[in-house]
């Protein structure tokens, strides 16, 4: 395997990309998908560069579909790798795990093209020997640690703050009727593909107009019906957060990925309720995940297996607006 070059760069020099460890279970053992690249003549993990206006999770699922033909939902993040490109620019690749059904993988057909000449499923324990680059092997080792700990299969609670809305002082009607500004509409469209990348099965929003409008592009991207919950609204805010906790408990008990769209004052209660329900410590990272700007969303990854879901990872994303 080729070692990665030292990484030092300013933000403007960095090429960002995203991909995943795509995996399946066969006879109780994990196998991962490797791509044999045509032009580079190497063996790597599926990944690709971010397109303008695209968020990283969206990039990951798009690139995996383009390179492998698999439509995936992202699992827990696996961190980043950083290395120097031949042209002297530095590159950061963001990775997630992404499970595919073993039967679907068995039926999957793929034709070689100018970018990828072959796909190969290999046992997790032997993957590092097949990969060309040491930094890819590092990502696989992180995934192997999740598998060993029983944390590879996850579901997520995606907590979305509504987009930029009309200021209070410029709106004559009730607070819950305040609409999104044009910027808020742009933010909502920008994050929809990234949220959809995690494969939500339920969309729940505050009854406020600004939240309903924020989640609408995600509903369009996923084809899901939006459920309205007064318990997530700012109007129903209460210090004891009892209604918020009930909503979180219900979503965690179902163990399927869900999106909760709400307001700045309510979101810390949602995050806090997740910590209580899962027994997770309230760390600085968890507190930061609740301090969302308009249009931001936090993804809380929870272990699907086990008597009580455990918090596996936290990530936060912002809209990627061009201009």
């Amino acid at each position: 395997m080729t070692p990665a070059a030292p990484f030092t760069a300013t933000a403007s020099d960095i090429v960002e990309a995203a991909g995943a460890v795509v995996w399946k279970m066969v006879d109780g053992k994990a196998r991962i998908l490797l791509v044999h690249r045509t032009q580079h003549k190497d063996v790597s993990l599926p990944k690709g560069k971010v397109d303008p206006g695209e968020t990283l999770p969206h990039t990951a699922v798009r690139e995996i579909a383009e390179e492998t033909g698999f439509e995936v939902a992202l699992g827990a993040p696996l961190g980043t790798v950083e290395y120097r490109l031949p042209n002297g620019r530095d590159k950061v690749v963001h990775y997630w795990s992404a499970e595919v059904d073993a039967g679907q993988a068995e039926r999957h057909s793929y034709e070689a093209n100018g970018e990828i000449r072959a796909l190969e499923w290999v046992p997790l324990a032997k993957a590092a020997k097949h990969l060309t680059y040491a930094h890819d092997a590092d990502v696989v080792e992180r995934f192997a640690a999740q598998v060993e700990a029983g944390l590879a299969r996850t579901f997520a609670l995606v907590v979305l703050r509504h987009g930029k809305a009309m200021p209070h002082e410029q709106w004559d009607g009730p607070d819950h009727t305040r609409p999104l500004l044009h910027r808020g509409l742009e933010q909502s469209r920008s994050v929809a593909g990234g949220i959809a990348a995690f494969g939500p099965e339920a969309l729940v929003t505050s009854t406020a107009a600004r939240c309903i409008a924020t989640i609408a592009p995600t509903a369009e991207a996923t084809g899901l019906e939006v459920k309205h919950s007064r318990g997530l609204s700012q109007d129903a805010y209460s210090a004891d957060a009892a209604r918020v906790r009930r909503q979180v408990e219900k979503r965690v008990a179902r163990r399927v990925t869900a999106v909760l769209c709400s307001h700045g004052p309510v979101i810390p209660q949602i995050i806090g309720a997740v910590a209580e329900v899962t027994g997770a410590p309230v760390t600085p990272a968890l507190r930061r995940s609740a301090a969302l700007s308009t249009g931001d969303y936090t993804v809380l990854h929870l272990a699907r297996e086990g008597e009580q879901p455990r918090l596996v990872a936290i990530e936060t994303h912002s809209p990627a607006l061009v201009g």
Side-chain angles (χ1 to χ4, degrees):
M1 292 179 293
T2 305
F7 179 82
T8 54
T10 62
S12 60
D13 296 328
I14 296 172
V15 175
E16 283 202 294
V21 173
V22 180
W23 64 287
K24 65 178 181 179
M25 283 298 242
V26 178
D27 298 327
K29 301 288 186 179
R31 291 177 175 264
I32 69 170
L33 185 63
L34 307 183
V35 294
H36 293 250
R37 299 197 296 179
T38 305
Q39 294 181 345
H40 295 276
K41 295 181 172 57
D42 59 12
V43 182
S44 185
L45 301 171
K47 63 181 180 299
K49 291 187 292 185
V50 176
D51 282 346
E54 194 174 56
T55 60
L56 289 162
H58 189 182
T59 299
V61 297
R62 176 185 57 75
E63 285 288 344
I64 291 163
E66 291 177 2
E67 290 196 350
T68 72
F70 284 106
E71 303 285 343
V72 302
L74 300 180
L78 294 170
T80 62
V81 297
E82 305 164 345
Y83 53 93
R84 180 69 49 81
L85 295 169
N87 64 7
R89 297 188 69 186
D90 291 294
K91 186 172 183 177
V92 179
V93 188
H94 303 252
Y95 283 102
W96 287 262
S97 66
E99 184 180 11
V100 298
D101 177 75
Q104 177 193 1
E106 186 69 25
R107 296 185 297 271
H108 187 70
S109 60
Y110 181 81
E111 293 185 6
N113 55 54
E115 187 173 3
I116 306 296
R117 63 180 177 84
L119 304 179
E120 181 184 16
W121 287 101
V122 300
L124 176 58
K126 298 181 179 180
K129 297 178 182 179
H130 291 253
L131 289 162
T132 304
Y133 305 107
H135 52 254
D136 285 343
D138 290 342
V139 176
V140 171
E141 286 181 10
R142 297 171 203 166
F143 173 68
Q146 288 185 351
V147 173
E148 181 68 22
L151 303 177
R153 285 195 169 117
T154 59
F155 67 100
L157 291 185
V158 182
V159 184
L160 170 64
R161 185 176 177 184
H162 65 75
K164 186 70 173 177
M166 180 73 72
H168 298 273
E169 62 273 13
Q170 297 178 21
W171 185 249
D172 294 332
D175 181 75
H176 71 273
T177 65
R178 281 195 294 128
L180 293 181
L181 294 172
H182 178 71
R183 183 70 170 180
L185 293 170
E186 288 183 325
Q187 291 171 328
S188 304
R189 289 190 291 266
S190 175
V191 299
I195 295 172
F198 295 98
E201 297 182 42
L203 305 181
V204 188
T205 182
S206 156
T207 51
R210 55 195 183 274
C211 287
I212 295 170
T214 296
I215 207 168
T218 298
E220 183 177 355
T222 59
L224 295 172
E225 179 184 354
V226 178
K227 300 178 181 179
H228 297 183
S229 170
R230 180 168 168 76
L232 295 179
S233 72
Q234 192 165 323
D235 289 344
Y237 176 88
S238 63
D240 65 2
R243 297 178 73 170
V244 169
R245 182 184 172 92
R246 285 196 296 272
Q247 181 68 247
V248 169
E249 286 175 337
K250 179 167 66 174
R251 295 298 156 192
V252 171
R254 292 180 179 177
R255 303 198 185 200
V256 298
T257 295
V259 182
L260 305 179
C261 184
S262 191
H263 309 258
V266 182
I267 285 172
Q269 294 187 337
I270 297 173
I271 302 294
V274 172
E276 289 179 22
V277 171
T278 62
V282 181
T283 62
L286 196 65
R287 291 192 183 94
R288 286 194 299 272
S289 75
L292 300 182
S293 298
T294 55
D296 289 357
Y297 64 94
T298 283
V299 187
L300 301 152
H301 296 272
L302 309 176
R304 190 184 300 274
E305 299 172 345
E307 185 174 339
Q308 180 184 24
R310 294 165 55 190
L311 183 60
V312 175
I314 312 163
E315 56 182 304
T316 297
H317 298 277
S318 299
L321 302 178
V322 179

